[in-house]
Amino acid sequence: KMSAVFLLLLVSTANVGAVLEKGLPRREPRRLSCVRCCGPSEQPVSVISSRYTRMSSDPAYSVPKVQPTIDITILKGEKGEMGEKGYPGAVGKEGERGLRGLNGRKGQKGQPGPQGHSCKQLYAAFSVGRRKPLHSSDYFQHVTFDTEFVNLYKHFNMFSGKFFCYVAGVYYFSLNVHTWNFKETYLHLMKNEKEVAILYAQPSDRSIMQSQSLMLDLQEGEEVWVRMFKRERENAIYSEESDVYIIFNGHLIKPAIE
């Protein structure tokens, strides 16, 4: 009786295994997925690189980006020398106009101008002197005069030290000075802003009288004056309060219209 039960159990077990074997799907062996190798004009791609491409697209297999940091203080060298000055930049825009400044001091009253005439006089003459000595202090220095001998119609302006031509024509001018011991004497006779003649004397242990003269054809409105010219040596002209050693003369020889 026990053997019959045992045989029955064996048969039941075999049937159950057969049923389970029929009910479960059959597992096939794992195959490698197909990988595109290459096209007609492409190079072959290895399986490893293709697999890496698929893995890198998956967030689970993405490779983190590494950003290296460099300590600048370690690589920084010594301070270099200053370079050459560059070219000036472009001129900027004109700024706004500033506030008006304070009024300056009132100037000295000028000398009266020449007297008017109903019929213009065709004459002109002057003779002026200087009683004070003069030392050159600037490169160009204007010579003024303090003594008036003749000043017909006030054509010579004592304040500015210039002769103003009111009557066009040919004029004669002369300049006389006294040199200073051991000092150079260098003067220019000026027509407007251009020198036309030079009066010069070298340094000497004896002072002498020195003169220069010339004729000029002047147009109405032109000016004639004297300036001192400074060079390497000291330049000076001598005079005294009691005597006049510096004289400047001029007069009209022939007017342009008679």
Side-chain angles (χ1 to χ4, degrees):
K1 188 177 179 178
M2 290 296 293
S3 59
V5 173
F6 181 75
L7 290 174
L8 182 60
L9 291 172
L10 289 176
V11 172
S12 301
T13 305
N15 292 334
V16 172
V19 172
L20 292 174
E21 186 177 358
K22 290 180 181 181
L24 294 175
R26 198 170 194 181
R27 193 171 187 181
E28 296 183 359
R30 184 178 180 182
R31 297 181 183 179
L32 294 175
S33 61
C34 295
V35 178
R36 182 176 179 274
C37 179
C38 61
S41 60
E42 297 177 345
Q43 296 293 333
V45 180
S46 64
V47 175
I48 297 175
S49 63
S50 176
R51 184 178 299 172
Y52 173 76
T53 302
R54 296 197 312 273
M55 292 176 63
S56 61
S57 61
D58 191 349
Y61 297 100
S62 61
V63 179
K65 294 183 180 180
V66 179
Q67 296 182 351
T69 58
I70 302 175
D71 190 354
I72 302 300
T73 59
I74 299 176
L75 303 179
K76 186 177 180 181
E78 296 180 357
K79 185 178 180 180
E81 297 179 357
M82 182 179 291
E84 297 181 358
K85 187 176 180 181
Y87 294 101
V91 180
K93 296 182 179 180
E94 184 177 358
E96 297 180 358
R97 187 173 182 178
L99 300 176
R100 184 175 181 179
L102 301 175
N103 294 330
R105 295 181 180 179
K106 186 177 180 180
Q108 298 179 357
K109 184 178 180 180
Q111 295 186 354
Q115 184 178 359
H117 306 280
S118 56
C119 296
K120 189 173 183 179
Q121 301 294 327
L122 301 181
Y123 301 103
F126 72 92
S127 180
V128 294
R130 181 182 176 93
R131 295 181 181 272
K132 296 180 180 179
L134 184 63
H135 290 261
S136 60
S137 58
D138 298 324
Y139 190 68
F140 291 125
Q141 186 173 352
H142 197 123
V143 179
T144 57
F145 301 87
D146 51 27
T147 303
E148 184 181 75
F149 298 110
V150 174
N151 193 2
L152 191 62
Y153 306 124
K154 303 298 180 180
H155 290 184
F156 188 91
N157 190 323
M158 296 294 292
F159 182 77
S160 65
K162 293 183 178 182
F163 169 75
F164 188 87
C165 178
Y166 287 94
V167 183
V170 178
Y171 285 79
Y172 174 85
F173 296 96
S174 64
L175 176 64
N176 300 275
V177 300
H178 195 286
T179 64
W180 203 306
N181 294 9
F182 305 105
K183 296 181 181 180
E184 188 177 48
T185 301
Y186 204 132
L187 300 172
H188 285 159
L189 270 169
M190 304 292 296
K191 177 183 177 182
N192 299 324
E193 298 300 324
K194 182 179 180 182
E195 62 271 13
V196 292
I198 296 175
L199 187 153
Y200 178 75
Q202 292 182 343
S204 175
D205 57 349
R206 298 179 60 185
S207 60
I208 59 174
M209 293 295 298
Q210 195 81 349
S211 64
Q212 179 64 281
S213 60
L214 77 163
M215 288 190 294
L216 294 175
D217 189 0
L218 301 181
Q219 302 297 322
E220 186 174 354
E222 293 186 310
E223 297 175 327
V224 179
W225 50 288
V226 180
R227 76 177 180 187
M228 184 176 285
F229 175 57
K230 182 180 180 181
R231 299 199 299 177
E232 294 80 7
R233 300 174 181 176
E234 188 176 4
N235 188 5
I237 48 179
Y238 178 79
S239 191
E240 294 180 355
E241 290 289 344
S242 58
D243 297 313
V244 181
Y245 288 89
I246 305 169
I247 298 176
F248 185 32
N249 300 323
H251 64 274
L252 178 64
I253 298 176
K254 183 181 184 299
I257 300 175
E258 296 183 359

